[in-house]
C-alpha cells in the first residue's frame, strides 16, 4: 500500500520489534487486526509499518477541520483492525481481551483518511472548516444516504455534513465532496428515510 | 394462572397493579447530557412537531406521543437522546458515579444504562461495559458510539467470574449489576414476557444473579458502591439475592433518594425471611407512577 503520508518510515527498530511482532521477531512487525495496539507518539517511535502516529492523527483533525489540538489531550489512540483508529478517553496498560476501547474514530492506511460518522458527530461541532451546512431538504436526503448538490466552493474530499437544528449547527455525518456533488457516507445502519 | 397474581399479598392495591400491567407503556427518551441539554432536545422536538411531555421527576426524560417513533427523529440521529424505559433510569442515578472514577457495568448490553452512566461521568474515567452475549454487545457498541461516549472499554466475559486483568487489575469504585431476570416488570412493553414463566426458571436465574452480584462485590473496592437492579417483582430474584450477598460479604444495603413513588423491599416471602437491611431496597410497581416494574438496591462494600 502506498500512502504518501507514511512513505519512508515505519520499518521497525530492533529492540521493540519482537514485542510488537509477537511471533519470534525476526520479521518486521505487522499490524495484528485482532488486538488493540497503542499508536506511536511520532514517526520516530513507529515500529509497525504503516501505522499512523498520534501526532499525525491529531494534526489531521486540526488541519482538516480546524479543531484545537488540545481537544484530544485526554484521549489515547489505538489501532485494531487494518487502519481502524480508536479514540479512548482514558488509558489502560495492555488492553488484552478487550472488545472495544472508546469509539472508532478514523480510518487510516489509505490515501485519504476518513473520519467515522460517530467521531464527526462527537467532535465535529467544534469544526471551523470543511463543514458544509445543508438546507433541511438536503439534510434529510443526506441522512437517507442520497447524493446532494449543495452550494460549496471549498475543498473536495471528506467534509462534515451538518444542518441547523434547535438553535445551532449540528454535524450529521461524513460526506465525500467530489465532482460538484456531496456523496453521503452515512453507514447503512444509521440512515433514515424521511 | 397469571404469575403476577402471586404478588397480590405484596402490593398495596392489587386491582390497580393488574390494571396497570395490562396497559401499554408510552415510549420514553432520556437526554444524553454528553451531546445535548433537555432544552435543546425540546426545541428540536418542537421544530419537528414531535409530541412529548416531561416526566415530572427527572428533567432529562420525556414521554413521547403515541405516534412518534423516536429512532426517526433528529435528536436520536444526533445521539442527543436514548430510548429508555422511565424506571430504567433509576439505577444509574442510585449509582451516582463521579467523573474520573473506575466503574463496572457487569451486564451492560444494549447499553441504556452504560450510556447514562458515561454521561454522569462526563465521559471521564474508565467505564467497563461487560456482557457475555456477542450479538447484544454489538448493539451496545453501536449505542455507546452513537451517544459520543469514549470512556468505555467493552468486554465479553461471564460476569460470574469477571477478571480484572484486562482492565488494569485495580478494583472499581462502583459497579452496576443490572442482571438478567424473569422480566415480569416489562409486561407492559412485551405482552408475552410471562409466557415462559416458571418457578424453576425464577430459581435458576436467581442462582446466576447471586453469582454475578457476588463477583461484582469482590471487584469493587472497600467503601465502594454496588447497585443491584432487576426489572422483575419476584423476591427470589431480588431480596433473596441481596440477603445472600449480605450473608456472604462484608457489605450493607443503604438508602438512596428516589423521587418516584415506591415500596420498600420485603422481608417475608413464602416462608422465607430476609435480612432487615433489604427494606432499604426499592420496589417500583407499574401502578405507582404508570411505568414498568422495577427493583433497585444500593449496596456499600465494607471498608
Ligand atoms: C437486563 S439486561 C441488561 C440491560 C442493560 N444494562 C441496559 O441497561 O441496556 C441483562 C444482560 O445480562 C446479560 N447476561 C446474562 N448472563 C450474563 C452473564 N453470566 N455474564 C454477563 N452478562 C450476562 C444478557 O446478555 C443481557 O444483555
Amino acid at each position: 500500500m502506498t500512502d504518501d503520508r507514511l512513505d519512508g518510515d515505519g520499518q521497525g527498530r530492533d529492540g521493540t520489534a519482537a514485542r510488537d511482532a509477537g511471533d519470534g521477531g525476526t520479521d518486521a512487525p505487522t499490524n495484528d487486526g485482532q488486538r488493540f495496539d497503542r499508536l506511536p507518539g511520532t514517526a520516530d517511535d513507529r515500529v509497525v509499518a504503516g501505522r499512523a502516529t498520534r501526532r499525525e492523527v491529531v494534526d489531521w483533525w486540526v488541519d482538516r477541520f480546524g479543531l484545537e489540538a488540545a481537544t484530544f489531550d485526554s484521549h489515547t489512540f489505538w489501532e485494531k483492525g487494518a487502519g481502524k483508529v480508536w479514540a479512548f478517553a482514558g488509558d489502560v496498560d495492555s488492553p488484552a481481551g478487550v472488545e472495544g476501547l472508546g469509539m472508532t474514530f478514523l480510518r487510516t492506511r489509505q490515501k485519504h483518511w476518513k473520519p467515522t460518522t460517530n467521531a464527526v458527530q462527537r467532535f465535529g461541532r467544534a469544526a471551523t472548516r470543511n463543514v458544509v451546512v445543508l438546507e433541511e431538504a438536503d439534510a434529510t436526503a443526506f441522512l437517507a444516504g442520497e447524493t446532494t448538490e449543495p452550494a460549496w466552493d471549498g475543498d473536495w474530499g471528506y467534509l462534515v455534513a451538518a444542518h441547523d437544528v434547535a438553535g445551532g449547527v449540528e454535524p450529521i455525518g461524513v460526506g465525500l465532496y467530489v465532482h460538484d456533488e456531496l456523496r453521503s457516507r452515512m453507514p447503512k445502519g444509521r440512515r433514515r428515510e424521511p | 394462572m397469571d404469575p403476577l397474581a402471586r404478588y397480590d399479598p405484596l402490593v398495596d392495591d392489587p386491582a390497580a397493579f393488574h390494571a396497570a400491567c395490562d396497559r401499554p407503556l408510552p415510549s420514553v427518551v432520556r437526554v444524553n447530557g454528553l451531546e445535548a441539554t433537555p432544552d435543546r432536545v425540546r426545541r428540536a422536538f418542537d421544530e419537528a412537531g414531535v409530541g412529548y411531555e416531561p416526566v415530572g421527576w427527572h428533567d432529562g426524560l420525556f414521554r413521547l406521543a403515541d405516534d412518534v417513533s423516536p429512532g426517526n427523529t433528529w435528536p436520536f440521529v444526533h445521539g442527543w437522546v436514548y430510548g429508555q424505559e422511565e424506571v430504567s433510569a433509576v439505577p444509574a442515578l442510585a449509582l451516582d458515579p463521579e467523573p474520573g472514577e473506575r466503574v463496572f457495568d457487569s451486564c451492560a448490553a444494549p447499553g441504556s444504562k452504560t450510556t447514562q452512566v458515561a454521561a454522569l461521568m462526563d465521559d471521564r474515567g474508565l467505564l467497563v461495559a461487560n456482557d457475555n452475549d456477542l450479538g447484544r454487545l454489538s448493539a451496545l457498541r453501536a449505542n455507546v458510539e452513537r451517544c459520543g461516549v469514549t470512556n468505555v472499554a467493552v468486554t465479553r466475559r461471564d460476569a460470574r467470574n469477571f477478571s480484572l486483568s484486562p482492565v488494569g487489575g485495580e478494583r472499581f469504585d462502583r459497579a452496576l449489576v443490572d442482571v438478567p431476570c424473569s422480566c415480569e416488570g416489562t409486561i407492559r412493553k412485551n405482552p408475552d414476557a410471562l409466557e415462559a414463566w416458571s418457578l424453576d426458571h425464577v430459581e435458576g436465574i436467581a442462582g446466576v444473579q447471586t453469582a454475578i452480584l457476588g463477583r461484582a462485590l469482590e471487584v469493587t473496592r472497600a467503601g465502594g458502591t454496588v447497585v443491584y437492579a432487576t426489572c422483575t417483582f419476584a423476591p427470589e430474584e431480588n431480596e433473596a439475592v441481596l440477603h445472600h450477598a449480605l450473608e456472604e460479604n462484608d457489605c450493607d444495603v443503604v438508602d438512596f433518594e428516589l423521587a418516584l413513588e415506591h415500596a420498600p423491599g420485603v422481608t417475608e416471602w413464602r416462608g422465607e425471611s430476609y435480612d432487615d437491611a433489604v427494606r432499604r431496597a426499592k420496589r417500583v410497581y407499574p401502578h405507582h407512577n404508570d411505568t414498568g416494574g422495577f427493583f433497585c438496591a444500593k449496596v456499600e462494600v465494607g471498608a
Side-chain angles (χ1 to χ4, degrees), chain A residues 34-117:
Chain A
Q34 297 306 307
R35 183 181 69 196
F36 282 99
D37 281 331
R38 188 188 300 269
L39 295 195
T42 64
D44 286 345
D45 310 321
R46 176 158 36 221
V47 173
V48 173
R51 178 163 289 161
T53 67
R54 176 183 176 88
R55 178 172 299 165
E56 288 167 342
V57 164
V58 172
D59 284 353
W60 188 88
W61 283 87
V62 171
D63 293 347
R64 184 79 196 155
F65 298 121
L67 297 191
E68 305 269 349
T71 310
F72 304 110
D73 277 358
S74 54
H75 285 85
T76 53
F77 297 113
W78 306 77
E79 181 176 16
K80 182 192 179 197
K84 208 193 265 186
V85 171
W86 302 59
F88 177 50
D91 206 349
V92 281
D93 284 341
S94 59
V98 167
E99 304 276 325
L101 211 50
M103 71 161 53
T104 54
F105 179 66
L106 186 65
R107 175 68 74 164
T108 64
R109 294 187 189 265
Q110 55 192 24
K111 187 159 169 55
H112 299 289
W113 289 6
K114 183 184 170 213
T116 63
T117 300

Side-chain angles (χ1 to χ4, degrees), chain B residues 29-46:
Chain B
V29 293
R30 173 180 50 78
V31 176
N32 171 22
L34 292 180
E35 301 274 1
T37 59
D39 269 352
R40 192 148 187 224
V41 170
R42 274 172 203 270
R43 202 163 151 183
F45 281 151
D46 289 341

Side-chain angles (χ1 to χ4, degrees), chain A residues 75 86 88-89 96 98-104 118 121-122 125 136 143 163 165-168 170-171 190 192, chain B residues 35 40 43-44 47 71-72 74 76-78 80 123 125-126 141 145-146 148 150-154 156-157 166:
Chain A
H75 285 85
W86 302 59
F88 177 50
V98 167
E99 304 276 325
L101 211 50
M103 71 161 53
T104 54
N118 291 312
Q121 288 198 348
R122 165 70 196 268
R125 218 172 287 131
E136 204 50 26
L143 180 62
H163 70 146
V165 58
E170 187 73 10
R190 299 292 305 275
R192 294 290 181 273
Chain B
E35 301 274 1
R40 192 148 187 224
R43 202 163 151 183
E47 284 175 5
N72 289 331
W74 279 120
F76 182 88
V77 168
H78 290 307
W80 294 359
D123 200 27
L126 174 65
R141 289 236 355 256
E145 293 205 353
R146 181 180 59 84
T150 63
N151 74 336
V152 165
V154 175
R156 174 159 62 102
R157 294 291 158 107

Side-chain angles (χ1 to χ4, degrees), chain B residues 106-113 130-133 136 157-160 178-180 212:
Chain B
S106 69
C107 307
S112 54
K113 299 175 195 77
N130 178 73
D131 205 281
N132 69 349
D133 182 318
R136 290 173 64 95
R157 294 291 158 107
D158 187 325
R160 289 174 287 191
D178 188 33
V179 288
I212 294 178

Side-chain angles (χ1 to χ4, degrees), chain B residues 7-286:
Chain B
Y7 307 119
D8 287 0
L10 300 181
V11 294
D12 50 338
D13 184 347
F17 169 61
H18 291 289
C21 288
D22 286 341
R23 283 197 300 273
L25 205 60
S27 44
V28 172
V29 293
R30 173 180 50 78
V31 176
N32 171 22
L34 292 180
E35 301 274 1
T37 59
D39 269 352
R40 192 148 187 224
V41 170
R42 274 172 203 270
R43 202 163 151 183
F45 281 151
D46 289 341
E47 284 175 5
V50 168
Y52 64 90
E53 58 180 43
V55 299
W57 65 279
H58 186 296
D59 71 353
L61 294 170
F62 298 112
R63 291 184 182 181
L64 302 183
D66 290 342
D67 59 336
V68 180
S69 122
N72 289 331
T73 64
W74 279 120
F76 182 88
V77 168
H78 290 307
W80 294 359
V81 297
Y82 192 109
Q84 180 177 12
E85 232 271 84
E86 199 175 320
V87 269
S88 133
V90 170
L93 298 173
L95 190 69
D96 197 19
E98 305 269 347
E101 287 184 334
R102 286 173 63 86
V103 180
F104 179 42
D105 189 352
S106 69
C107 307
S112 54
K113 299 175 195 77
T114 308
T115 51
Q116 185 183 6
V117 167
L120 292 171
M121 296 172 76
D122 197 23
D123 200 27
R124 287 184 280 150
L126 174 65
L127 174 53
V128 176
N130 178 73
D131 205 281
N132 69 349
D133 182 318
L134 193 60
R136 290 173 64 95
L137 271 186
S138 72
L140 168 80
R141 289 236 355 256
N143 284 323
V144 161
E145 293 205 353
R146 181 180 59 84
C147 289
V149 173
T150 63
N151 74 336
V152 165
V154 175
T155 59
R156 174 159 62 102
R157 294 291 158 107
D158 187 325
R160 289 174 287 191
N161 45 42
F162 181 81
S163 157
L164 281 170
S165 55
V167 289
E170 213 181 305
R171 286 194 288 174
F172 294 103
D173 298 301
R174 294 170 208 265
L176 177 59
V177 183
D178 188 33
V179 288
C181 69
S182 60
C183 294
E184 296 162 345
T186 65
I187 184 75
R188 300 182 63 182
K189 208 173 211 153
N190 314 311
D192 48 8
L194 297 180
E195 253 160 38
W197 192 95
S198 75
L199 191 55
D200 271 358
H201 176 246
V202 166
E203 283 166 352
I205 206 155
V208 175
Q209 294 161 340
T210 300
I212 294 178
L213 176 57
R215 185 60 187 152
L217 288 164
E218 284 169 7
V219 297
T220 302
R221 69 167 169 81
T225 298
V226 175
V227 167
Y228 179 77
T230 73
C231 50
T232 212
F233 308 113
E236 292 89 340
E237 299 178 55
N238 293 325
E239 288 87 348
V241 171
L242 288 178
H243 176 81
H244 191 270
L246 289 164
E247 275 191 333
E248 297 291 311
N249 301 273
D250 179 13
C251 66
D252 198 12
V253 181
V254 297
D255 199 18
F256 63 95
E257 254 178 67
L258 179 59
L260 284 169
E261 189 186 336
H262 59 273
V266 301
T267 53
E268 301 284 333
W269 176 245
R270 300 193 145 205
E272 302 284 329
S273 50
Y274 308 127
D275 192 307
D276 245 8
V278 307
R279 290 177 49 76
R280 292 191 282 272
K282 303 195 192 301
R283 299 184 146 255
V284 178
Y285 292 106

Side-chain angles (χ1 to χ4, degrees), chain A residues 159-176:
Chain A
L159 305 182
V160 172
H163 70 146
D164 227 306
V165 58
V169 170
E170 187 73 10
I172 305 167
V174 180
L176 176 61

